[in-house]
Amino acid sequence: MNMELKKQLTVLELGDLVSVIENQEKNVSLVDLNYNDRLEYLLAELITERQNRLIARLTKNAELKYPNAS
């Protein structure tokens, strides 16, 4: 991914999309996917990343007595 594209995504507040794309560029199994499948995979990863951050933030802000309990 080139720097100009990274800057544009950051301006659009899509910095987490940059990290997802960079991770996918390292995965050679995604090279054979068509555009729609690749986009679907990309968006699924982005949604998962955002949900994980939300859960982590909510857990931290909850100030649980035993935050690591299951």
Side-chain angles (χ1 to χ4, degrees):
M1 176 182 301
N2 64 34
M3 292 304 293
E4 186 61 32
L5 184 56
K6 284 183 183 182
K7 287 180 190 176
Q8 291 172 347
L9 289 171
T10 303
V11 167
L12 292 172
E13 297 180 3
L14 295 171
D16 45 347
L17 181 60
V18 172
S19 64
V20 171
I21 291 172
E22 288 174 341
N23 287 338
Q24 283 192 359
E25 287 176 341
K26 297 173 188 172
N27 190 345
V28 293
S29 67
L30 299 175
V31 173
D32 296 332
L33 294 179
N34 64 33
Y35 178 78
N36 288 333
D37 292 340
R38 181 83 184 257
L39 183 60
E40 184 178 322
Y41 186 78
L42 176 72
L43 294 175
E45 288 291 317
L46 181 61
I47 289 169
T48 300
E49 184 174 315
R50 287 185 177 191
Q51 287 175 339
N52 288 341
R53 270 198 329 228
L54 174 65
I55 291 169
R57 187 179 75 239
L58 291 174
T59 302
K60 180 181 175 185
N61 290 342
E63 297 180 6
L64 300 173
K65 186 173 183 179
Y66 302 107
N68 294 328
S70 58

